[in-house]
Amino acid sequence: MEARTAAVIGAGIGGLAVAIRLARQGFRVTVFEANDTPGGKVAELCMDGFRFDMGPSILTMPQYIDELFQLCGEQPQQHFRYRRLDPIFRYFYTDGTEITTPADPQRLAAELESKTTVPKAKVLEFLNRSRIKMELTDPVFLQRSLHQWKNYFDRPTWRGILNFAKVEAFTTMAKANALLFHNAKVEQLFNSYASYNGSDPYQAPATLNLISHYEITLGAFYIEGGMFTIARELTALAQRQGVQFRFGSRVGRILVNDGRATGLVANGIRQDFDLIVSNADVNATYRQLLPDRSSPSVTLNREKSSSVIVFFWGMKKEFPRLHLHNMFLSPDPKTEYEGIFKQGRVCDDPTVYVHVSSKEHSADAPSGCENWFVMVSVPHNTGQDWDTTVQRTRSNVLRRLNAQLGEELEPYITCEKVLDPRDIETRTSSAMGAVFGNSSNGIFSAFLRHPNFSSQIKGLYFCGGSVHPGSGIPLCLLSAKITAGLIGKVQA
Ligand SMILES: Cc1cc2nc3c(=O)[nH]c(=O)nc-3n(C[C@H](O)[C@H](O)[C@H](O)COP(=O)(O)OP(=O)(O)OC[C@H]3O[C@@H](n4cnc5c(N)ncnc54)[C@H](O)[C@@H]3O)c2cc1C
């Protein structure tokens, strides 16, 4: 019998992972990618002897990547190597306090106690609560489809319901952390994890405090060769499984006949497939690829997550005070988040994240130099004047970093490139340039993401950061697993 055919629209992390899984299930898979390179938001920039990762810089749960190699009978370490970071982050406050976070709850609690007087026991309690939240929600929300009734009648779901108070869904991260710590510095440090999925700690449920458990207790990892290695190696793995890639191939339409997806049109050419998986943003999938079909407007119109401005700076000097991951926290976080989420503007003294991968991998910068990835959270794109905002933010960022590092930085910038929400929208089709799909600010956000399948069109599936279970590399990989699992069940 001839193999069934599947088309994947988009070679983002979710698209690559689903292509590998479908190939393993016996499908003949073709991936259509509008860009000339794979990875979507996981992209790379090389400029004047410097190499930068343009998207993610922090990887948690690398075992989900290992799993793809193991599924194909390969040794992950032969293609994809990583090491656990310890310490993880260096936080800089405007009053000169510096906190370096070790990858171990006990040592972290000791560091916070010595720098802020918050008792060790409180930090350990926080991390323990974060662990419980993760254990209660991970099997229910992250590992399977939320859109199948039968998934609500099992042990993990009932355990979650019976322990619902521990999930802290009805208070915000900021409120829960204020109540526990009574210390502005520690509250701000743990609230800043909200930015990992583009949400606002003053609105997002305290459930999201679980993010710190993934990073601190389970680990943050450095990928040898940089984050783009993930995209490159997953593409190579997919190719070894027989997946065909069509780069520079923008899909313009998904074809539907009699309530079933039957193919697509890419670069003006029509091609038939037995099923389609869209890894493109779900908004773009409905509005651009299925313009004649009714769309789930309530889901599509929900508030979007924040976006980012990133400055890529080649620096002709080394800065020993900086670590691989550095966070220069805003002196006024409440005003910063209100600006982003309520007023649609970037504050004048924002939190600045500086990632310097050449600290771990010296080949990423010429000798005596460093590659700075300087990122600020900003609102998603609603037509703001980004040219002016980028210039204003650049001066504000330099003013802050000059003051904190005690020297004039501008003369050391030898080359520069900027990424803003318009670029993210154009390069990856993300609605409004949001980095993390729909916002996670509401209590019910987890339930209101688009499912991994279409209930209107048979044979049409979705995976990636704009659909269930959400954004960030680990969740996109889980999204692909859930989608491939659903397809496998239909085929069985
Ligand atoms: C600056 C930045 C920092 C980040 N930091 C982190 C981090 O530290 N850790 C972390 O885990 N995550 C981070 N993320 C988020 C993470 O990168 C994303 O959640 C994840 O990569 C999204 O993957 P995806 O599968 O949704 O696909 P995407 O990356 O969104 O890619 C979708 C692909 O589909 C293609 N496409 C769209 N429409 C079409 C079409 N019509 N035809 C053909 N192709 C199409 C696009 O070109 C694109 O390549 C960051 C993102 C950014 C931008």
Side-chain angles (χ1 to χ4, degrees):
M1 200 173 78
E2 209 169 308
R4 289 171 63 75
T5 55
V8 177
I9 304 171
I13 289 300
L16 293 171
V18 87
I20 293 165
R21 288 182 178 278
L22 292 181
R24 290 304 294 171
Q25 289 178 19
F27 281 91
R28 245 179 331 118
V29 185
T30 309
V31 178
F32 294 85
E33 169 53 57
N35 294 323
D36 293 332
T37 48
K41 296 184 180 73
V42 181
E44 183 175 61
L45 165 70
C46 295
M47 162 171 74
D48 296 355
F50 294 86
R51 193 202 72 84
F52 300 86
D53 280 306
M54 292 185 80
S57 51
I58 300 167
L59 182 69
T60 54
M61 311 302 276
Q63 64 269 34
Y64 295 145
I65 300 176
D66 288 345
E67 194 177 289
L68 292 168
F69 288 96
Q70 286 153 353
L71 183 71
C72 300
E74 296 195 13
Q75 291 286 342
Q77 304 84 330
Q78 283 180 359
H79 308 279
F80 170 66
R81 281 179 290 277
Y82 50 86
R83 52 181 177 270
R84 188 167 177 178
L85 294 172
D86 190 4
I88 306 172
F89 252 93
R90 183 159 293 164
Y91 293 88
F92 297 80
Y93 296 81
T94 38
D95 69 357
T97 307
E98 286 180 23
I99 294 177
T100 305
T101 52
D104 168 73
Q106 290 288 345
R107 284 187 288 123
L108 171 65
E111 165 79 357
L112 291 179
E113 187 174 67
S114 76
K115 296 284 172 60
T116 68
T117 73
V118 165
K120 264 179 84 172
K122 288 209 170 184
V123 176
L124 293 174
E125 184 183 339
F126 171 83
L127 290 173
N128 190 40
R129 286 188 199 173
S130 304
R131 177 186 58 77
I132 292 169
K133 288 186 182 88
M134 177 267 189
E135 286 172 0
L136 290 172
T137 54
D138 184 275
V140 180
F141 289 99
L142 303 188
Q143 303 283 346
R144 61 193 188 179
S145 173
L146 273 186
H147 305 89
Q148 293 190 308
W149 281 111
K150 67 177 171 40
N151 285 347
Y152 288 86
F153 298 99
D154 66 359
R155 229 177 135 84
T157 309
W158 285 106
R159 197 170 154 245
I161 291 169
L162 293 172
N163 290 284
F164 195 65
K166 293 182 183 162
V167 173
E168 291 193 294
F170 290 107
T171 185
T172 65
M173 288 176 85
K175 277 191 190 144
N177 294 342
L179 198 66
L180 179 66
F181 294 120
H182 300 290
N183 180 290
K185 285 198 174 100
V186 176
E187 288 165 36
Q188 188 177 7
L189 189 154
F190 286 121
N191 286 348
S192 72
Y193 282 93
S195 65
Y196 283 34
N197 69 0
S199 47
D200 171 4
Y202 296 90
Q203 297 182 59
T207 316
L208 292 189
N209 277 327
L210 59 77
I211 299 172
S212 52
H213 172 75
Y214 283 100
E215 183 177 287
I216 295 163
T217 313
L218 300 182
F221 297 83
Y222 172 75
I223 312 301
E224 273 184 26
M227 297 293 278
F228 189 67
T229 306
I230 302 173
R232 193 169 34 231
E233 290 301 332
L234 289 185
T235 305
L237 176 62
Q239 284 168 331
R240 291 196 291 278
Q241 293 302 313
V243 174
Q244 300 285 317
F245 283 86
R246 305 270 183 271
F247 291 110
S249 197
R250 180 171 288 283
V251 173
R253 279 284 187 282
I254 293 174
L255 302 171
V256 180
N257 191 2
D258 216 6
R260 168 168 278 285
T262 53
L264 50 72
V265 180
N267 289 352
I269 300 168
R270 184 198 155 109
Q271 299 177 58
D272 294 337
F273 288 96
D274 294 319
L275 64 88
I276 310 270
V277 182
S278 180
N279 173 229
D281 186 291
V282 68
N283 289 260
T285 304
Y286 279 103
R287 293 190 167 135
Q288 293 166 22
L289 308 188
L290 292 161
D292 308 329
R293 314 290 304 191
S294 70
S295 57
S297 50
V298 174
T299 306
L300 301 192
N301 292 336
R302 282 181 59 76
E303 184 199 13
K304 299 288 165 273
S305 68
S306 56
S307 187
V308 289
I309 293 175
V310 187
F311 301 97
F312 303 95
W313 288 339
M315 303 294 285
K316 57 176 179 192
K317 183 177 178 324
E318 288 177 312
F319 295 81
R321 263 175 81 198
L322 292 185
H323 177 69
L324 176 70
H325 297 297
N326 310 274
M327 192 82 87
F328 294 82
L329 293 159
S330 169
D332 187 358
K334 196 155 196 324
T335 303
E336 176 178 24
Y337 286 110
E338 264 175 26
I340 298 171
F341 291 95
K342 299 215 164 119
Q343 295 143 15
R345 65 182 301 279
V346 186
C347 99
D348 285 333
D349 207 344
T351 296
V352 183
Y353 166 61
V354 182
H355 169 60
V356 191
S357 72
S358 59
K359 297 274 183 197
E360 286 285 327
H361 188 59
S362 57
D364 283 352
S367 166
C369 300
E370 288 182 349
N371 64 339
W372 284 23
F373 166 110
V374 180
M375 183 168 85
V376 170
S377 289
V378 306
H380 53 255
N381 182 18
T382 51
Q384 296 92 329
D385 177 353
W386 288 109
D387 291 334
T388 307
T389 304
V390 165
Q391 282 319 312
R392 202 185 72 234
T393 303
R394 186 181 189 278
S395 331
N396 291 333
V397 164
L398 276 170
R399 194 181 55 239
R400 172 72 194 279
L401 296 179
N402 290 346
Q404 204 91 43
L405 296 175
E407 54 190 316
E408 196 63 33
L409 296 172
E410 177 91 59
Y412 298 119
I413 303 175
T414 64
C415 55
E416 174 171 19
K417 191 160 170 72
V418 184
L419 182 80
D420 71 38
R422 294 169 303 185
D423 305 314
I424 295 172
E425 195 167 357
T426 321
R427 247 182 8 91
T428 65
S429 303
S430 275
M432 301 171 131
V435 168
F436 301 98
N438 282 354
S439 127
S440 299
N441 285 341
I443 324 170
F444 299 111
S445 304
F447 294 95
L448 297 173
R449 291 190 187 280
H450 194 284
N452 303 88
F453 57 91
S454 164
S455 44
Q456 307 293 326
I457 302 171
K458 285 202 181 69
L460 175 62
Y461 296 85
F462 302 87
C463 74
S466 67
V467 299
H468 177 73
S471 205
I473 293 176
L475 297 198
C476 291
L477 292 166
L478 287 176
S479 172
K481 188 173 181 178
I482 294 168
T483 304
L486 292 170
I487 293 169
K489 275 187 198 142
V490 171
Q491 300 300 314

